[in-house]
Amino acid sequence: MDSITPNEIDIVRASSSKINEIDFENLAFGNIFTDHMLMCDFRDGKWQKPTIKPYEPFLLDPSAKVFHYGQAIFEGMKAYKDESDDVWLFRPDENFRRFNASAKRMAMPEVPEDIFLGGLHEILKIEKEWVRKGKGNTLYIRPFMIAIGTGVIAAPSTQYRFMIILSPAKSYYSGEVKVIIAEHFSRAANGGIGAAKAAGNYSAQFYPTKLANDKGFQQIIWTDDATHTKLEEAGTMNVFFRINDTLFTAPTSERILDGVTRKSIISLAEREGIDIQVRSVLVAELVEAAKNGSLKEIFGAGTAAVVNPIVGFSYQDEYFELPKIENSVALKLKDKLTNIQYKLEEDTFGWTVKI
Amino acid sequence: MDSITPNEIDIVRASSSKINEIDFENLAFGNIFTDHMLMCDFRDGKWQKPTIKPYEPFLLDPSAKVFHYGQAIFEGMKAYKDESDDVWLFRPDENFRRFNASAKRMAMPEVPEDIFLGGLHEILKIEKEWVRKGKGNTLYIRPFMIAIGTGVIAAPSTQYRFMIILSPAKSYYSGEVKVIIAEHFSRAANGGIGAAKAAGNYSAQFYPTKLANDKGFQQIIWTDDATHTKLEEAGTMNVFFRINDTLFTAPTSERILDGVTRKSIISLAEREGIDIQVRSVLVAELVEAAKNGSLKEIFGAGTAAVVNPIVGFSYQDEYFELPKIENSVALKLKDKLTNIQYKLEEDTFGWTVKI
Ligand SMILES: Cc1ncc(COP(=O)(O)O)c(C=O)c1O
Ligand SMILES: Cc1ncc(COP(=O)(O)O)c(C=O)c1O
């Protein structure tokens, strides 16, 4: 049920488009939005009629619960245009499912499929000019939900707003990515909200990431908060380690986001006959492998960054540079993945969905 | 420096007051706000001129970072009116200090003293009629800061909004409070943001708290996330345990909020000659003490709830009811504390500050 019938949605068209003002070759990630947004409110115990209308600010009460208690979740997806000008989504059912899993963990109402996926189809039909052809060009999709009920008492809201906004984007990280392995700070607790795409998980990382940036590192690879011995994930990417010819990635858990890119990379690796093992990698193993030369690659995987090779890591103030290698598994898997997303190769998995 | 000179603040008065419509005897906590609010924006690297103006909604862009990454912090304070109609704050310097500690952890700019405390004095002068005489009546003060910069990239905002809103209140919990000891879910990670009054810490507790509510318990006492063996704090209160005639409370840490009520209770207990020990209490100790009858009292301490006796707790599906006792230490300390707050007893500590 990816469609929504016209009488289930209000559409108010923008009087003019700003698309001609946009320099699509020089986009900073996530700063420019398309002409329209989708908005749908939950109140009186149910979802109201969704509206697609011109992108614009909206009013909130100073006591709105999102400001005080952080009841807010989001998703990150992309739309891709193929050579025939058709627009495609990549595994949108996974984002829909995860969004509602996040909603549950944050005590927020689940969003029905016809609003989330049906509404997304509708707004993408309207904004299809914003999806540019050519590998690397995408329209980044940001569905999110915030608590708009009022009152400064720490309890779930009774009113929510679901929205979809769209931002044309190239890839997330330009330049080399060096990471620090977390020794003190943490991203998530056992029994916490690390597996949810909850707003608060991200701001919690800003300060430690700033400290890392100051030392010349772009990202942190988080470790388990109890012992800091197990490698978990990066700020907005799951992480893969290649030791000799085996690829490792941590199992998902309450502390780790179940990434769509991660699970797609695992499937692709299996299909390509790459030895892939889903198990925790210890920091000590990684350091050992870096020292004895068996560590060949580290890369992050996520919707925004796609597949992002990491050139080196720091642990206990020692920096380990990764070797420059031929036949990078990261780049091979990235190529396979993006070929499916841009419909340049057959989608044997049935991952792509046409708008 | 608790004052702000008139040319440093813009004041726009509400054309009329809604105070006569308020039933001060039947207030739900945190739902009614006074006529004015304080607002001050941070942009271009500095704090702008604060404004006190009529309480009203404000516009935010759909991509405002507070919605997506939860960069938001708050404080909770109260104003009290004495028998001579003077209005008092309780240890406001502590809230100011903690607010800026939270700001630092969330990569937000610190708010200057003249805006936070000076602005608070100004708005309280305007709203002093909203502070009602009589023990139990207070004006709850909610300073908060949100990231208002735009863009769906997970990085700190460059623009922020600091606000103060005010809500007349009686005490937070009415009725008996029973708690569940956390066995699976957690509030905070080692190296996380548990010690900050960050918005995301609160919504993270809503779902587990709802599960507890469904079982007939009002609150959860959180345990350390790694082992769930050490008792930490409740959702918006620090927790004290009285075993025989000794009072215990957990030391503050990265996982526990450094409560103003907690530290005041500790000082009061010391002054009153009560044996008080700041150390982790193990769940096993608590259960043992409940079984052998040495557990006399459990109570929560926090600005909203003041001192809140807990009548029983559940652990591993076993319910332990606390004895009904005379000479409750909780009630004695609550009385001492509120007498200072309402200026009914001499403030030997110098905790109260006149508006
Ligand atoms: C914490 C975190 N880990 C991993 C990912 C990667 O997930 P996905 O591949 O679904 O984008 C993301 C981004 O969505 C994330 O926010
Ligand atoms: C998590 C948490 N613990 C404890 C407290 C009690 O702190 P205080 O006594 O400063 O209000 C609060 C409320 O402020 C809180 O939010």
Side-chain angles (χ1 to χ4, degrees):
Chain A
M1 207 219 320
D2 291 346
S3 65
I4 191 164
T5 60
N7 65 348
E8 287 168 343
I9 191 162
D10 284 327
I11 298 179
V12 181
R13 288 271 186 169
S15 55
S16 66
S17 174
K18 51 185 183 260
I19 196 166
N20 292 326
E21 296 156 27
I22 310 301
D23 177 1
F24 281 89
E25 288 311 307
N26 295 292
L27 293 167
F29 191 93
N31 268 324
I32 286 164
F33 296 91
T34 65
D35 298 317
H36 300 86
M37 62 189 191
L38 180 137
M39 187 185 274
C40 185
D41 284 359
F42 180 93
R43 61 170 176 273
D44 304 328
K46 61 176 192 289
W47 287 100
Q48 310 293 313
K49 198 174 185 186
T51 310
I52 292 173
K53 59 178 178 178
Y55 185 94
E56 62 181 7
F58 55 87
L59 283 170
L60 279 188
D61 191 87
S63 76
K65 296 218 184 233
V66 62
F67 298 146
H68 301 270
Y69 307 118
Q71 230 187 342
I73 60 170
F74 68 96
E75 268 303 324
M77 315 165 66
K78 281 177 173 171
Y80 310 86
K81 195 167 257 178
D82 69 14
E83 288 306 308
S84 330
D85 276 332
D86 282 324
V87 173
W88 297 84
L89 292 172
F90 183 73
R91 310 186 79 174
D93 49 314
E94 289 285 340
N95 297 94
F96 170 61
R97 187 193 50 71
R98 189 170 66 187
F99 190 78
N100 279 340
S102 298
K104 186 172 175 202
R105 182 61 182 85
M106 302 310 287
M108 300 167 90
E110 295 186 21
V111 175
E113 187 170 343
D114 59 347
I115 295 175
F116 188 105
L117 290 177
L120 178 55
H121 276 252
E122 285 312 305
I123 192 167
L124 284 176
K125 277 187 219 158
I126 293 173
E127 304 291 46
K128 63 178 181 297
E129 288 308 312
W130 289 84
V131 197
R132 294 293 161 146
K133 237 192 298 218
K135 226 175 170 177
N137 293 325
T138 62
L139 186 62
Y140 180 78
I141 300 163
R142 173 57 62 93
F144 66 103
M145 176 169 28
I146 55 173
I148 60 172
T150 59
V152 292
I153 188 164
S157 179
T158 55
Q159 289 176 40
Y160 297 89
R161 176 160 294 166
F162 170 69
M163 296 188 72
I164 301 176
I165 57 177
L166 306 166
S167 176
K170 297 256 179 192
S171 68
Y172 200 76
Y173 300 107
S174 30
E176 295 195 330
V177 175
K178 291 181 195 172
V179 298
I180 286 187
I181 310 289
E183 291 164 49
H184 171 75
F185 290 108
S186 307
R187 185 188 165 274
N190 299 299
I193 60 169
K197 271 186 91 81
N201 285 335
Y202 296 83
S203 48
Q205 302 179 59
F206 289 171
Y207 176 70
T209 304
K210 203 167 63 168
L211 296 180
N213 296 161
D214 290 346
K215 291 186 181 172
F217 298 86
Q218 287 69 44
Q219 292 270 310
I220 294 170
I221 296 186
W222 298 106
T223 50
D224 65 298
D225 79 302
T227 66
H228 294 295
T229 56
K230 286 181 238 159
L231 296 159
E232 309 230 293
E233 63 170 322
T236 57
M237 307 187 289
N238 296 105
V239 185
F240 289 76
F241 306 93
R242 177 181 156 207
I243 298 178
N244 289 323
D245 283 322
T246 303
L247 217 47
F248 297 91
T249 192
T252 57
S253 74
E254 279 181 323
R255 292 190 308 262
I256 299 185
L257 195 86
D258 182 8
V260 181
T261 316
R262 173 187 172 280
K263 67 173 59 159
S264 305
I265 290 284
I266 293 171
S267 299
L268 280 168
E270 284 167 351
R271 192 191 69 182
E272 298 299 313
I274 294 165
D275 183 23
I276 166 111
Q277 293 188 21
V278 176
R279 71 151 170 89
S280 282
V281 174
L282 301 176
V283 179
E285 275 183 278
L286 186 75
V287 169
E288 174 65 22
K291 284 185 175 158
N292 70 27
S294 58
L295 179 66
K296 305 297 182 198
E297 293 180 71
I298 306 177
F299 59 93
T303 297
V306 196
V307 169
N308 213 274
I310 289 166
V311 300
F313 71 92
S314 162
Y315 180 64
Q316 289 179 343
D317 289 323
E318 194 174 349
Y319 180 66
F320 300 88
E321 180 105 16
L322 270 81
K324 308 241 173 310
I325 50 155
E326 287 172 15
N327 302 320
S328 155
V329 168
L331 294 185
K332 177 179 177 171
L333 290 169
K334 178 179 182 173
D335 214 46
K336 293 281 166 203
L337 179 66
T338 51
N339 280 347
I340 291 174
Q341 290 167 336
Y342 288 89
K343 306 300 284 181
L344 299 170
E345 244 179 64
E346 195 194 347
D347 171 15
T348 57
F349 297 99
W351 284 338
T352 52
V353 175
K354 194 167 164 176
I355 293 298
Chain B
M1 208 218 324
D2 292 345
S3 65
I4 192 165
T5 60
N7 64 348
E8 287 168 342
I9 191 162
D10 284 326
I11 298 179
V12 182
R13 289 271 186 169
S15 54
S16 67
S17 175
K18 52 186 184 263
I19 196 166
N20 292 326
E21 297 156 27
I22 311 301
D23 177 1
F24 282 90
E25 288 312 305
N26 295 292
L27 294 166
F29 191 92
N31 268 324
I32 286 165
F33 296 91
T34 65
D35 298 317
H36 300 86
M37 62 188 191
L38 180 137
M39 187 185 273
C40 186
D41 284 359
F42 180 92
R43 62 171 175 273
D44 304 327
K46 61 177 192 287
W47 288 99
Q48 309 294 313
K49 200 175 184 184
T51 310
I52 292 173
K53 59 178 178 179
Y55 185 94
E56 62 182 7
F58 55 87
L59 283 170
L60 279 188
D61 191 87
S63 76
K65 296 217 182 232
V66 63
F67 298 146
H68 301 270
Y69 306 117
Q71 227 187 346
I73 59 170
F74 68 97
E75 268 304 323
M77 316 164 66
K78 281 176 172 171
Y80 311 86
K81 194 167 257 178
D82 69 15
E83 288 306 307
S84 329
D85 276 332
D86 282 323
V87 173
W88 297 84
L89 292 172
F90 183 73
R91 308 187 79 173
D93 49 314
E94 290 285 340
N95 297 93
F96 170 61
R97 189 193 48 73
R98 189 171 65 188
F99 190 78
N100 279 340
S102 298
K104 187 175 173 197
R105 182 61 183 85
M106 303 309 288
M108 301 168 89
E110 295 186 21
V111 175
E113 188 171 343
D114 59 346
I115 296 175
F116 189 106
L117 291 176
L120 178 55
H121 277 252
E122 285 312 304
I123 192 167
L124 284 175
K125 277 187 220 160
I126 293 172
E127 304 290 48
K128 63 178 181 295
E129 288 308 310
W130 289 84
V131 196
R132 294 292 161 147
K133 237 191 298 217
K135 227 175 168 177
N137 294 324
T138 62
L139 185 63
Y140 181 78
I141 300 163
R142 174 57 61 95
F144 67 102
M145 176 169 30
I146 55 173
I148 60 171
T150 59
V152 292
I153 188 166
S157 179
T158 55
Q159 289 176 40
Y160 297 89
R161 177 160 293 167
F162 170 69
M163 297 189 71
I164 301 175
I165 57 178
L166 306 166
S167 176
K170 298 254 180 197
S171 68
Y172 199 79
Y173 301 108
S174 29
E176 294 196 330
V177 175
K178 292 182 195 172
V179 298
I180 287 188
I181 310 289
E183 291 164 48
H184 171 75
F185 290 107
S186 306
R187 185 188 166 274
N190 298 300
I193 59 169
K197 272 188 90 80
N201 285 336
Y202 296 83
S203 48
Q205 301 178 60
F206 289 170
Y207 176 70
T209 303
K210 202 167 66 169
L211 297 180
N213 295 162
D214 290 346
K215 292 186 179 171
F217 297 85
Q218 287 68 44
Q219 292 270 309
I220 294 171
I221 296 185
W222 299 105
T223 50
D224 66 297
D225 79 302
T227 67
H228 293 295
T229 56
K230 286 181 237 160
L231 296 158
E232 309 230 292
E233 63 169 323
T236 57
M237 306 189 288
N238 296 105
V239 185
F240 289 78
F241 306 94
R242 177 182 155 205
I243 299 178
N244 290 322
D245 284 321
T246 303
L247 217 49
F248 297 91
T249 192
T252 56
S253 74
E254 278 181 325
R255 293 190 308 263
I256 300 184
L257 195 85
D258 182 8
V260 181
T261 316
R262 173 187 173 279
K263 67 173 60 162
S264 304
I265 290 284
I266 293 171
S267 300
L268 280 168
E270 283 167 352
R271 193 191 68 182
E272 298 297 314
I274 295 166
D275 183 24
I276 166 112
Q277 294 188 21
V278 176
R279 72 151 170 89
S280 283
V281 175
L282 301 177
V283 180
E285 275 182 278
L286 187 75
V287 170
E288 174 64 21
K291 284 186 173 157
N292 69 25
S294 59
L295 180 65
K296 305 298 181 195
E297 295 180 71
I298 306 178
F299 59 93
T303 298
V306 195
V307 169
N308 214 274
I310 289 165
V311 300
F313 70 92
S314 163
Y315 180 64
Q316 289 180 342
D317 289 322
E318 193 173 350
Y319 180 67
F320 300 88
E321 179 106 16
L322 270 80
K324 307 240 176 310
I325 51 155
E326 290 174 10
N327 303 320
S328 155
V329 168
L331 295 185
K332 176 178 176 173
L333 290 170
K334 178 179 182 173
D335 215 46
K336 292 282 166 201
L337 179 66
T338 51
N339 280 348
I340 292 174
Q341 289 168 335
Y342 289 89
K343 307 298 288 181
L344 299 168
E345 241 179 67
E346 196 195 346
D347 172 14
T348 57
F349 297 101
W351 284 338
T352 51
V353 175
K354 194 168 167 177
I355 293 299

